[in-house]
Amino acid sequence: GQNIDQPTEMTATEGAIVQINCTYQTSGFNGLFWYQQHAGEAPTFLSYNVLDGLEEKGRFSSFLSRSKGYSYLLLKELQMKDSASYLCAFDQTGANNLFFGTGTRLTVIP
Amino acid sequence: DTAVSQTPKYLVTQMGNDKSIKCEQNLGHDTMYWYKQDSKKFLKIMFSYNNKELIINETVPNRFSPKSPDKAHLNLHINSLELGDSAVYFCASSQAGQGDSPLHFGNGTRLTVT
């Protein structure tokens, strides 16, 4: 079957670094997406990993290990506006939709 | 210009009623989707359309029916609304399925069934 696990909630301090982990189980795995969703708003695309390794994009980086079924999103120099839910999702070969996790609600405190 | 727009933003209605949610995208994408996000924030695929053909239909009650008059529009009709239908419904689009083409979401329609 398909499954995604990520922590429900996390809290971090402004200016700090936080790592949000995601583990997944599926067959025919294609790639791993991270989306950000502020309360009451639509999810917005952050990153997509197909190959193993770390991809950096400004303050945000995403890592993937296909053999371990594991990904993480790394947020550096946290800002108050980073308080949001972060959704891990994968797409499968031959499928035409994304399977989402329930998201990690990140709260950034002063 | 809004890339994916859906209306209405809020919809409050009584059990048993029939309602529709409209969605339009101006990105020229080939595929459009409807997702449901429940109170636990779990986003689940309901339907997707590619070139006016339904290519996914998850285990969604047949009270829900997508209608796509053209490539830029995918509307969602819901008959005989039930309390459990209360959720936020997101329309989305992408280019030629998934892969490295991310989903672009609309702002969501919060449906409350009383």
Side-chain angles (χ1 to χ4, degrees):
Chain A
Q2 301 169 319
N3 191 48
I4 288 180
D5 286 311
Q6 49 181 135
T8 305
E9 294 189 16
M10 297 182 71
T11 301
T13 306
E14 191 176 13
I17 299 174
V18 70
Q19 177 174 312
I20 303 175
N21 296 323
C22 168
T23 57
Y24 62 87
Q25 297 89 38
T26 184
S27 57
F29 173 83
N30 209 29
L32 197 290
F33 288 84
W34 283 96
Y35 281 80
Q36 180 191 59
Q37 185 177 23
H38 285 100
E41 297 183 10
T44 55
F45 170 77
L46 288 177
S47 65
Y48 179 62
N49 291 65
V50 175
L51 302 176
D52 285 356
L54 185 69
E55 293 203 9
E56 299 186 57
K57 195 183 291 186
R59 294 191 298 114
F60 292 6
S61 302
S62 56
F63 171 85
L64 176 66
S65 169
R66 297 175 71 101
S67 62
K68 295 181 180 178
Y70 168 68
S71 173
Y72 67 73
L73 181 69
L74 192 70
L75 292 77
K76 302 176 185 176
E77 301 169 17
L78 279 171
Q79 302 175 9
M80 299 300 289
K81 68 178 182 179
D82 296 331
S83 292
S85 288
Y86 291 86
L87 308 174
C88 174
F90 60 72
D91 67 320
Q92 296 171 281
T93 305
N96 207 46
N97 67 302
L98 293 187
F99 184 88
F100 282 88
T102 53
T104 298
R105 184 186 298 180
L106 173 67
T107 303
V108 180
I109 58 177
Chain B
D1 286 341
T2 303
V4 181
S5 60
Q6 54 181 109
T7 57
K9 186 171 177 61
Y10 299 97
L11 184 54
V12 181
T13 188
Q14 292 184 329
M15 286 175 56
N17 285 348
D18 303 336
K19 291 293 179 184
S20 295
I21 307 172
K22 295 185 177 181
C23 179
E24 175 182 4
Q25 56 97 3
N26 62 7
L27 297 167
H29 285 165
D30 292 329
T31 307
M32 295 183 70
Y33 309 80
W34 277 105
Y35 279 83
K36 178 181 179 181
Q37 188 170 44
D38 60 24
S39 58
K40 296 182 179 180
K41 306 301 181 186
F42 181 45
L43 261 175
K44 187 172 180 181
I45 182 72
M46 299 179 71
F47 304 103
S48 75
Y49 255 75
N50 186 326
N51 292 326
K52 299 182 71 173
E53 281 190 62
L54 179 67
I55 54 177
I56 297 177
N57 186 348
E58 294 289 318
T59 54
V60 173
N62 57 15
R63 298 182 295 105
F64 292 79
S65 56
K67 296 280 195 302
S68 180
D70 55 59
K71 196 173 100 166
H73 295 83
L74 182 64
N75 303 324
L76 183 64
H77 299 274
I78 315 170
N79 295 326
S80 303
L81 278 157
E82 300 177 357
L83 291 176
D85 297 333
S86 295
V88 181
Y89 292 84
F90 284 99
C91 177
S93 71
S94 71
Q95 182 61 30
Q98 295 297 325
D100 59 357
S101 172
L103 292 173
H104 293 258
F105 285 90
N107 286 329
T109 296
R110 182 174 293 277
L111 171 65
T112 303
V113 182
T114 61

